[in-house]
Amino acid sequence: MEPVDFSILALFQKATFVVQIVMIVLVLSSIWSWTIIIQKLFDFRSTKKSNTRFQDLFWSGKPLDDLFEKLGPNPSGHAEKIFVSGMNEWHQSHRPDGGLIAGAQARIDRSMSVSVTRASDKLMSGLYFLATVGSIAPFVGLFGTVWGIKNAFEQIALQKSTNLAVVAPGIAEALLATALGLLAAIPAVIFYNKLSGDADKIVSEHEEFADEFSLILSRELDRSME
């Protein structure tokens, strides 16, 4: 009797078309999940460094107008964009004669709130895919396993033999789908929890900065009205 090849490639080639589709979907989902994970790890690290660098500049005591001019209209960092949006609204709230347009504080807060929301959306982008893979992949793999075992039992009936050598290859092919489902789901769940926690922390820092900056501008507005 020829030895049975139980390598992953051999099991994939012997699997039925439906099970092969399931395996391909799971492998692609796993690859895409790892792409998102690696990209987010680098993005979050870059964002934290950028926020720290900007916070040092902001609290250094230098005039805010000088910092605003240095950053320009399109800064790259999230905290910088929040600051620039607030400063833009601050400048636009002054009339040519130097007076303030009514409702300046509300507009400044709203402008920075929009920037915080955009930063949050960018940080969270891709994480919902990880959540989906983490929750769905095991069931997709289980579907492939059930379908593969069904075909294995059909082969038993056709060959009228319960010999383990007849049953084992089909069951092995079926179980590979479950293994791939878990392989895709476990890292997705782990890193979704980690990255969503990191994103929440960064967003919280953005909101705190927006509140602190709003207080500073509020005091300046009060002085302007005196």
Side-chain angles (χ1 to χ4, degrees), residues 53-64:
R53 185 169 56 251
F54 171 73
Q55 292 274 4
D56 291 340
L57 287 173
F58 181 82
W59 297 110
S60 64
K62 295 181 180 179
L64 296 182

Side-chain angles (χ1 to χ4, degrees), residues 58-150:
F58 181 82
W59 297 110
S60 64
K62 295 181 180 179
L64 296 182
D65 284 330
D66 291 348
L67 180 57
F68 177 62
E69 291 179 3
K70 180 180 180 181
L71 293 176
N74 296 306
S76 57
H78 295 309
E80 296 170 352
K81 290 180 179 179
I82 296 168
F83 168 76
V84 168
S85 66
M87 288 297 292
N88 275 330
E89 194 58 46
W90 162 262
H91 287 299
Q92 292 173 9
S93 294
H94 285 78
R95 294 194 299 266
D97 61 359
L100 282 170
I101 302 173
Q105 185 66 54
R107 289 193 301 275
I108 291 170
D109 290 344
R110 179 57 181 166
S111 177
M112 290 193 292
S113 177
V114 170
S115 294
V116 170
T117 301
R118 288 175 179 170
S120 176
D121 290 343
K122 189 171 182 180
L123 289 170
M124 294 299 295
S125 65
L127 297 188
Y128 298 114
F129 179 81
L130 295 182
T132 301
V133 171
S135 59
I136 298 299
F139 296 102
V140 175
L142 182 60
F143 167 75
T145 295
V146 171
W147 192 273
I149 290 177
K150 178 185 77 71

Side-chain angles (χ1 to χ4, degrees), residues 19 86 180:
V19 178
L180 291 175

